[in-house]
Structures are given as C-alpha cells and as structure tokens.
Amino acid sequence: MSALPCYRWQLAPDGLATRRQLRALGLRPGGQDVVAEVHRPRRRRGPLVAYLYRVDRAKPVRPMTPARAAALAAAMRARRTCPTCRRDVGYCVPRSLGMCVTCHDTPSNRKDTPP
C-alpha cells in the first residue's frame, strides 16, 4: 500500500488529472511528483492504477520542432519498411511476422512449408 491518497474510479477531486487528461489539455506533468492514485477495480485481477498530477503545476507541452518531426517521420518510415522486400508497405510491419503480409504469404518466404 502506498502513502499516496487513493480514490475510486471517477471519484478524484477537481484539480487532479492523469497524464492522458493533462495531454488532452495540452499540458505535461513537468517534473512534479505524483500526488494521488485512482484505482479501478477488476474482477479476477488486481485493480488498475492511474497516477494523478496537479493541473495547476502542469507545464505546457513542448512544441514540435522541425528536427523532432523529421526524427518521428524517419522512425515511422522504418516501421513501415519491410526488411525482406525493402518496400514501404503503407502500414506498420507486424512484429509477429517480421515482414509484410505479402512477403509472409509468398511460399518461398514461409518457414512452415518444407523446401
């Protein structure tokens, strides 16, 4: 059990928000410590826990710079590029397959078929 105040789901006081709620407001925690927790009960497992931050201490989200936008675009391009055929397939290549669906469905690339 933590020393932080705990609230039940949807019963947190005004002025506190989760990271997602802060982001929707265009804010970020900005280095402040967690001030409370929200617990959402579940049937067969432990409760889901969300940490709460003070909205009045939150800082604005840093603006997207051209360098950050270029780095994000490069990372997404790498996720869309199939390592087998080296094409941009237009969607993120599934990690479970390790290649695009077209390459996976090609009989020469399948590992489960005998040669």
Side-chain angles (χ1 to χ4, degrees), residues 40-106:
R40 180 178 179 201
R42 297 191 291 180
R43 286 186 181 233
R44 294 191 171 105
R45 294 180 281 178
L48 291 174
V49 178
Y51 299 113
L52 298 174
Y53 301 90
R54 291 183 49 172
V55 176
D56 59 346
R57 288 189 188 170
K59 296 180 180 177
V61 174
R62 293 183 186 119
M64 182 66 76
T65 63
R68 287 176 67 196
L72 182 60
M76 291 307 294
R77 189 170 40 259
R79 289 186 65 193
R80 290 191 315 261
T81 302
C82 175
T84 306
C85 63
R86 300 282 185 211
R87 294 187 296 128
D88 184 345
V89 291
Y91 56 87
C92 289
V93 175
R95 292 179 63 194
S96 60
L97 300 179
M99 59 184 76
C100 68
V101 176
T102 307
C103 289
H104 181 264
D105 291 342
T106 305

Side-chain angles (χ1 to χ4, degrees), residues 18-48:
T18 63
R19 290 174 87 81
R20 283 189 179 194
Q21 291 168 337
L22 288 175
R23 188 63 174 201
L25 296 171
L27 301 171
R28 62 186 170 95
Q32 65 174 304
D33 292 330
V34 175
V35 294
E37 295 179 349
V38 173
H39 290 249
R40 180 178 179 201
R42 297 191 291 180
R43 286 186 181 233
R44 294 191 171 105
R45 294 180 281 178
L48 291 174

Side-chain angles (χ1 to χ4, degrees), residues 104-115:
H104 181 264
D105 291 342
T106 305
S108 63
N109 291 335
R110 303 240 358 197
K111 295 176 182 156
D112 58 350
T113 57

